[in-house]
Amino acid sequence: MSRAEIRQIVVLLSGRGSNYRALRQAQTDGRLDGDITAVISDQTDAIGLKLARQDDIEAICVPRDRFNDRAAFEQALAKTIAESRAHWIVLAGFMRVLSAKFVEAHAGRILNIHPSLLPRHRGLHTHQRVLDAGETEHGASVHFVTAKLDGGPVISQVRLAVEPGDTAETLAERLLPLEHRLFPATMALLQRYPVEARNESITIEGKPQVAPLVLGTDFADDGRLLGHGRAN
Ligand code: GRF
């Protein structure tokens, strides 16, 4: 891939920033092309901002409480994102619901990681909800963001077996390292192939996918599609 084709990434986060850390690590390891041009947070004290500063990445706070309403906040956020000159807008623990207007203005460029096998368990407390539902499988998903909360087309997933005796805490603990593989791998996939949202699902190189790509089965940590992961 030529340098000109590489699409830069801006990360939005509200908290501890471990997914940001994983994306950054993938770049320094050479698994993921492109730079993280900035990290933006709505929270002044987000640990993720500190991590970015340690990495010499521009760390910018757009504090939600400084704005009278969501429209004013989103306007400032959009300006900061535009100034970062990034193509991909990656939500890594960004705890704000974005308006339809904002999402539509950045359509096809915003990605989110969610700790469940979407479309199951949109919203919060996913680990406990998996246990309450008696499910045997849990996981995480990366999806295009649309106006519907955790509802956009799912690109990729990673799966995890629920073991007897699991609690919300043990599930969270086992899932997080898998999230740290899934997000960089998915961003690497997006750098390698044209992936687009179409209706409720995605296309790769223009070919519709019937199901989300599973990490390790359909695509690898460096984003490369594996044999049968290719659409046909
Ligand atoms: C992750 O569990 C992610 O799936 C969810 O928010 C959490 C962010 O964690 N959207 P971190 O800030 O990246 O450590």
Side-chain angles (χ1 to χ4, degrees):
M1 185 183 286
S2 84
R3 193 74 199 156
E5 290 168 318
I6 294 172
R7 293 172 151 185
Q8 315 298 10
I9 296 168
V10 60
V11 176
L12 273 56
L13 52 76
S14 300
R16 68 189 164 178
S18 71
N19 277 286
Y20 153 70
R21 222 327 116 76
L23 287 160
R24 169 76 183 158
Q25 189 64 48
Q27 289 189 314
T28 49
D29 288 356
R31 272 175 289 139
L32 173 60
D33 277 326
D35 295 321
I36 296 174
T37 57
V39 170
I40 303 173
S41 181
D42 58 320
Q43 301 294 321
T44 323
D45 56 357
I47 294 171
L49 284 177
K50 286 197 196 116
L51 296 177
R53 284 190 200 106
Q54 283 167 12
D55 294 336
D56 280 330
I57 294 206
E58 192 170 13
I60 306 161
C61 188
V62 182
R64 172 65 184 87
D65 51 16
R66 293 244 187 99
F67 298 90
N68 288 337
D69 54 28
R70 183 164 78 168
F73 166 69
E74 288 190 346
Q75 211 177 352
L77 188 62
K79 186 167 177 282
T80 310
I81 290 170
E83 285 166 0
S84 78
R85 308 181 74 83
H87 175 81
W88 298 115
I89 302 162
V90 164
L91 309 186
F94 185 65
M95 300 305 284
R96 295 268 158 211
V97 177
L98 297 165
S99 70
K101 187 177 171 206
F102 183 96
V103 169
E104 276 151 27
H106 303 87
R109 295 168 49 206
I110 315 180
L111 290 313
N112 181 46
I113 187 158
H114 182 75
S116 83
L117 293 173
L118 290 171
R120 296 209 290 267
H121 311 303
R122 297 179 172 130
L124 299 174
H125 311 301
T126 57
H127 314 301
Q128 189 57 50
R129 286 160 63 201
V130 163
L131 294 171
D132 293 347
E135 290 168 357
T136 55
E137 201 178 33
H138 190 24
S141 308
V142 173
H143 65 95
F144 282 112
V145 172
T146 62
K148 188 173 173 189
L149 181 67
D150 301 325
V154 179
I155 301 166
S156 61
Q157 292 183 325
V158 65
R159 293 168 180 273
L160 170 73
V162 177
E163 307 287 352
D166 260 331
T167 62
E169 290 69 34
T170 60
L171 281 181
E173 205 174 300
R174 290 215 309 288
L175 187 58
L176 196 60
L178 296 178
E179 289 190 35
H180 294 164
R181 284 180 55 203
L182 182 67
F183 219 170
T186 305
M187 294 315 299
L189 175 92
L190 294 176
Q191 302 284 42
R192 281 181 192 276
Y193 307 96
V195 179
E196 286 174 16
R198 191 176 300 166
N199 304 323
E200 294 295 299
S201 56
I202 60 157
T203 63
I204 301 181
E205 295 175 323
K207 296 168 199 150
Q209 298 291 304
V210 289
L213 300 176
V214 177
L215 180 62
T217 304
D218 299 319
F219 73 116
D221 286 282
D222 64 0
R224 214 174 285 273
L225 286 170
L226 302 168
H228 56 285
R230 275 196 175 268
N232 47 37

